[in-house]
Structures are given as C-alpha cells and as structure tokens.
Amino acid sequence: MSLADLQPGALAVIEALHLAETDAHRLMILGFIPDTTVGCAGRSPLGDPVIYRIDGSEVALRRETARHIAIRIESPPAG
Amino acid sequence: MAAATTTSSRRVVALCGPPNVGKSTLFNQLTGLRQKVANYPGVTVEKKIGGMKLCSGEEIDLVDLPGACSLDPQSEDERIAVEVLSGRNATVAKPAAAILMLDSTNLARHLSHAPGVLELGIPTLVVLNMADELASRGGAVSAAAVAAEIGAPTATVSARRGGGMDEVRKFIEGAVVPPKPVQLPVLQDVPAVRKWAGGVAQRCGYAAPGPPQWSRRLDRIFLHPLAGPLIFLAVVLAVFQSIFTLAVPLMDGVDAAIATSGAWLGAVLPETAFKGLLIDGVWGGVGSVIVFLPQILILFLFIGILEDSGYLARAAVIADRSMRLVGLQGKSFIPLLSAYACAVPAIMAVRTIENKRDRMATLLVAPLMTCSARLPVYALLIAAFVPERPLLGPLFGTRAAVLLGLYAVGFAAAVLTAWLLKSTILRSVSTPFMLELPPYRLPTLRSLAYRLIDRSKIFLRRAGTVILATTIVLWVLAGLPRENGEPPEIADSYAGSIGKAIEPVIEPLGFNWKIGIGLITSLAAREVIIGTLGTIYGMEADEDSVELQAVLRSELSFGASIALMMFFAFALQCMSTVAIVRRETGGWKWPAVQFLYMAFLAYAAAWIAYQWFD
Ligand SMILES: Nc1nc2c(ncn2[C@@H]2O[C@H](COP(=O)(O)OP(=O)(O)OP(=O)(O)O)[C@@H](O)[C@H]2O)c(=O)[nH]1
Ligand SMILES: [Mg+2]
C-alpha cells in the first residue's frame, strides 16, 4: 500500500520511501521517516495535493509523490 | 542601522533555524528594524544585517538568515544561510556566535536541527520560540533540561510578544556559561538524528501541546471543496469593490489637501519660473499620483491578512493543481501572488524554488502579474471610462469587474507564458511539491499597521524620487526651447517633439503624442504616466486645477482607453524590475528577453483591443 491510498481521517505507519535520494532526504527532514505514524488530514478542494499529518506538523504532497511512499495501515478510517 | 556588509571590527551573531519559526520576529525585536515577517515558510530570502547595542556599549552585527532545513542546501535561499553560517560568505564575516531558533510547539522534530548547527563549533544559543503558543495549547518545556541534554545553552522565548529577550541578550553579551558538551549523533543519518531528538525531548520531560484545534476547524472550511473556493472568491470581489467605494472618500480627502496646499502656495509665491515648476510640475505631477495611496493601502491590507494568517500556504496548495497544468508547482504560486504587491520582492522570492528551471520560469513571468504600480493607472482609466453600474447588487459593480478582469488578464498571460517556457526552453523533470502548512495565526493589528506604514513610506519615497525626477525633467523639456523669452506651446517644445516622433508607432493603438510622452516617461515606473499627464495638462489648462479624468475622455476614445490598459497590463515599464532580474540572473540576457517579449505582448494586445472596441 502507498500513502496515496490513505483516506482522510485514517492513520498508517510509513514503511519505506521509494524516491530519488535527494527527494527522500527532503521528505525525511519534514518527518517522513520509516516507522513514523502518518495521518491524512484532508485534501485540497480539487482532490490533489493531499495534506498529511506527520511528526507534529501538516505537510502537503502530491499524489504522484505519495504513491512512492509505502505504508501499512494502523487503524481503519474513522467516520 | 541596516548595512549591506558587516563591519570588520564588530562581532557577528547569526540568527538561523528552519523556516517560519520566528527568526525575523526576534531579529526585529533585538535590532528595532522591520524585516518582513509573515506566516509561511520562505519569507526571508536574503541575509539581513542589523546593528545591536549591548549594555556594555559594544555594538555587534546581528544577521537574520533565510530559513534552512539542513546544512545541505536545496535552494538559493538555503545556500545563503549555510554560506553565512559556515563563514564562506564574502560580505559577512564568520559569525562569532549563533542563535539557533526552533519551534517549541514541535520540539521533538525541531531538535533534529540542533546537531548540524552545534557541530559547526560556533558558540550557539538554542532558542525555543512560540512559548506563548506552547502554553496556550497545554504544552510545557524546561529550557534548563534541554540545555543539559544537548550540551548547549537554551532559552525559551516568545519573540512576538518580546518574552524571554533578556536571556537572548545575556547570551549575545557573552554572559551565559555553556553547559558541558555532549556526544551528538551522526548527521547524515536522518532517522538516527530524529531518534536522538525524540529521546532528548522525552528525557527532559517535554509535554507536547494539544493539536491546533482552530487551524483544523478553519481548514475544514477553507479547504472544503465547495465552500473554500466560494469564500475566497467572495473575499476577492469585496476587495476589488472596496478599492473603488471604500477608497473614494479617502482619496477625495488627499486630493483636496493637495489642491488646497497647491492653491495656497500659488497665492503666496512670487511669479517666477520656480513657482511654475512647483505648482504645475510638482503639485500637478506628483500630487496626481499620491491621490492613489488609499487604494494601494486597501490592496496591501488584504495581502497582509493573507500572509499573516497562514492562508497563503493553503492558497499555494490549492493552486498547485492549476500550476501543474503549466508545468510549475504550488511553490511558484507564492512569489506570483506576492507579485500583486510588487514584482521586485517577488523576483527575489523565487529563490525558495528548488528546481532551477521552475525558478527561472517563475522569475520571467512574475512581472506580468498586476503589481500595485499598475493600480493607480487602472483606477484612473476605469474611473474615467467605465460607468459604475451594479452587477451583484450593491456589493460588486462594473468598475470592480473591469479591474478584476485586468488582474485576470495579467494572471492568464503569466500562466500561459510559463506554460510556453516550461514546454520549450525550460522543460525539466519536476521536483516533488512539498509544503509545510503553518497553523493559522491571528494577524496582529500592530503588524498590519506596520505593513501599511512601510508601504506608504515606499510609495511616498517613489513619488519623491522617481516620479519627482521624471516630472522635473519633463517640465524642463516642456518649457524649452524658449521663444522670445517665453515658454513654447507644449506641442512645439522638446517634450512635444519627442512625443510626436513616436506618434506614428503608437497611432495604430489610438494614442496621440501626449499619451506617447506618458508612455516614454512611464518606462521609469508605471505610475509616472499619471504625473506626466497631470503635468502636461496642468500646463495647458487655463485654470490651476484640471480634472484629469475629463481631459483623458477628450484625448482618448473608449477603444483607445482599453488599449492603454492592455498596454500597461503587459509592458515591462519598471526599471527596478529590470535591475533585479539582471542581478538575480547574473546578466543582461534575461532582462532583455523579458523586456522585448512583454513589449511585443503589450503592443499586440493594445492593437487588438483598439481594433475591437473602437
Ligand atoms: N504565537 C507566536 N507566533 C510567533 C512568535 N514569533 C513569531 N511568530 C509568528 O510566526 C510567523 C513566522 O515568523 P517569521 O519571523 O517571519 O519567521 P522566520 O523564521 O523569519 O521565517 P522565514 O523567514 O520564512 O524563515 C509569523 O506569523 C510570526 O508572527 C511567537 O513567539 N509566538
Ligand atoms: Mg524570516
């Protein structure tokens, strides 16, 4: 599963970043580190980018980027 | 005092840290300067030096730096921060001390920025900012405990209210004894550093704050698929309407003040050539521009609320989708939006874009966005040629609609040009869009007031320099050559001959030679055309005060007035922009390309508009 599949309100844990070295590095500095909990906070009105809750802050990513971040689901979508 | 380089005899203290943590707010507190502060990452893009006097009498240079996420810079602004910190900058001496500012509401993650800076070996104070926000959201942190864990002096402050400044001053004066150094984690390994930071936060009993409930509630509204865009549209329409309705009484006031003072001066001054210059040249020319200050301030109030509240970052996220269609990304939207104020800071703000070709494309299209210097020109022409009729009840009328249309035209031209550039010479693989969204913060009256005061100063300074200078040159050229010791008719003057020389070129656009003179002087700055026309007609008219709108109606047809607006929408009539593009791109090639391209667009659009509407 990838981060792009995460529904608003759901939580997951990051497994791996399958991205180019520099992009992965920038994402990790923003908090996208393996074994970290990530939540989907909502989407932009046009559906993309998606806003993720990660390590105490909110970060917007495009789906095309989120697709390369592998996750495992922690809790089912609430509400 | 502000300076471009540090003074060799003074100690340099660098202010660094990740973006949007309040570095510039602290800098302003300590130096008394007014660096731009706003609630989105990437506000500061250039180092800024400010003097600070210590209790001991010693003066030091405090340097505010752009935010940097790591010591391995990804963008131009980060590069500047890293250069200064590591003592590799040509204009700033190697810092004798550093202040690393972190956000205490997200301490665990922010502490991962500490090892990199601490390992530079400069005495460093770690400042945990936003203490007020931490407390109000139910969190707590002990600076002493953090200091012991990371082996560096630490202070909690709330820079916006000025809390904790004494600790910071004490450090700068060298009166803080650093704790025992500790072993820091290996930098390259981000997960390991983060783990270390988490451990530190835990061991020093950091109580993380509760979630920012207000931000979440607001985002549910502003990012709502339907309500979000509708609210935004409604606010924009209201702003454009208020530029015409709300600003009018204020403008009448300014106008009356200028007219009365001009008449008074006219009555008390003896009849000399100097009097003519002062009354017709300065009062007629500069005064006619100053009238537009209230409208510009309304625009800046709106931009200020957008930037200070944190909505701007959301707007960038929403815009990402459309920016993608033209090959850019949401981050390019922030400079483009700030170009509504002025292209010069916008062109500097492109430094935050990591992708080099995206940066170039954004820089090249930024001057097409409707900057505030165009606003007076538009406002004058619209007031003269567009009758006010309600469109959406009393809240939105024809004049506001035309103005909105002009803004839309500029935006469309910018976006299409970006697409053209990104699909030809600036094609590139995209850099992933990632933007951290700050919590919403209530804009303070103080910061909004300062924005308006600073903007008024810039506006009046422009009126007193560029506009005044061109007005004087014009007045001289319009008064020569003298015939029998008398000034000539304007048509026979040097200024008139220049206007007539270019008349054949602009005649197809519906402009006569007088407008031609205005087009030439407005190459210095757009709003100069108003002063120029004010001067020309002021000298022609029999009475002292002329109604510029009425004169314009007699000089321009309706089609020509639309053509003139189109010309101003597209032409690069701004020397400051040309100069900044040259500096940022390091040569004359890009400013030349940009100037010619925009001149071509301006001429073509004006020609089409004239053919169409006349
Ligand atoms: N609540 C609170 N807000 C603060 C405090 N200090 C700064 N801010 C706000 O935080 C935001 C960012 O402040 P800046 O001073 O522009 O931050 P910066 O670190 O210079 O940001 P960049 O230049 O983008 O790196 C602004 O909205 C400030 O008003 C504080 O102590 N408490
Ligand atoms: Mg700053």
Side-chain angles (χ1 to χ4, degrees), chain B residues 34-156:
Chain B
R34 283 216 291 273
Q35 264 280 67
K36 178 166 176 186
V37 165
N39 192 18
Y40 62 88
V43 178
T44 309
V45 293
E46 179 60 273
K47 60 188 182 307
K48 168 89 173 181
I49 303 163
M52 186 184 161
K53 203 163 175 151
L54 307 180
C55 295
S56 60
E58 181 194 358
E59 291 203 33
I60 61 132
D61 278 329
L62 192 65
V63 187
D64 184 23
L65 294 175
C69 286
S70 76
L71 293 178
D72 172 23
Q74 299 294 325
S75 55
E76 282 301 300
D77 56 329
E78 287 193 345
R79 194 179 53 71
I80 293 170
V82 173
E83 255 183 33
V84 170
L85 265 186
S86 53
R88 281 186 278 114
N89 190 282
T91 51
V92 178
K94 189 172 164 59
I99 297 172
L100 168 64
M101 194 168 224
L102 303 176
D103 181 352
S104 66
T105 64
N106 196 357
L107 188 71
R109 183 156 70 80
H110 272 245
L111 276 175
S112 14
H113 294 282
V117 176
L118 296 181
E119 270 164 21
L120 290 173
I122 314 169
T124 301
L125 174 73
V126 175
V127 162
L128 311 176
N129 194 25
M130 317 262 179
D132 54 329
E133 210 166 295
L134 179 71
S136 72
R137 272 162 52 194
V141 64
S142 148
V146 176
E149 281 291 335
I150 62 175
T154 306
T156 47

Side-chain angles (χ1 to χ4, degrees), chain B residues 268-293:
Chain B
V268 298
L269 284 180
E271 287 292 334
T272 56
F274 177 72
K275 174 180 171 182
L277 171 66
L278 202 66
I279 305 292
D280 301 328
V282 176
W283 247 253
V286 177
S288 57
V289 182
I290 292 182
V291 173
F292 292 94
L293 181 60

Side-chain angles (χ1 to χ4, degrees), chain B residues 335-340 342-344 346-348 350 359-374 378 409-411 413-415 417 421 526 567-574 576-581 590-591 593-595 597-598 601:
Chain B
L336 288 184
L337 212 102
S338 69
Y340 279 134
C342 174
V344 173
I347 283 166
M348 290 185 67
V350 306
R359 189 157 71 226
M360 201 62 181
T362 312
L363 176 150
L364 288 174
V365 305
L368 284 164
M369 303 296 283
T370 306
C371 69
S372 59
R374 288 175 174 106
Y378 288 167
V409 162
F411 185 70
V415 164
T417 306
L421 287 167
R526 294 182 175 92
F567 192 90
F568 271 81
F570 294 122
L572 182 51
Q573 301 147 294
C574 177
S576 320
T577 304
V578 173
I580 201 81
V581 170
W590 288 109
V593 168
Q594 194 176 32
F595 186 89
Y597 171 74
M598 288 177 68
L601 276 189

Side-chain angles (χ1 to χ4, degrees), chain B residues 304-393:
Chain B
I305 292 174
L306 280 188
E307 291 190 347
D308 283 357
S309 64
Y311 183 81
L312 188 71
R314 275 76 182 176
V317 173
I318 298 172
D320 177 70
R321 193 54 195 271
S322 350
M323 301 302 287
R324 185 183 324 185
L325 294 176
V326 300
L328 290 174
Q329 49 135 303
K331 270 208 178 159
S332 293
F333 185 74
I334 294 177
L336 288 184
L337 212 102
S338 69
Y340 279 134
C342 174
V344 173
I347 283 166
M348 290 185 67
V350 306
R351 291 178 181 181
T352 58
I353 301 168
E354 295 92 357
N355 186 303
K356 198 168 171 216
R357 294 180 162 211
D358 283 6
R359 189 157 71 226
M360 201 62 181
T362 312
L363 176 150
L364 288 174
V365 305
L368 284 164
M369 303 296 283
T370 306
C371 69
S372 59
R374 288 175 174 106
L375 185 56
V377 184
Y378 288 167
L380 176 66
L381 288 169
I382 290 175
F385 289 93
V386 180
E388 174 74 341
R389 262 185 260 111
L391 284 180
L392 292 175

Side-chain angles (χ1 to χ4, degrees), chain A residues 26 48 55 57-58 60 62, chain B residues 109 194 320 354 435 437:
Chain A
R26 285 177 56 216
D48 192 20
D55 203 359
S57 58
E58 297 196 342
R62 284 182 183 173
Chain B
R109 183 156 70 80
R194 176 62 186 82
D320 177 70
E354 295 92 357
L435 186 68
L437 303 181

Side-chain angles (χ1 to χ4, degrees), chain B residues 276 280-281 474-479 487-488 490 533-544 546:
Chain B
D280 301 328
L474 177 75
W475 187 81
V476 171
L477 288 181
I490 292 197
L533 295 176
T535 305
I536 296 177
Y537 296 121
M539 293 169 82
E540 267 195 339
D542 299 330
E543 294 155 49
D544 273 348
V546 279

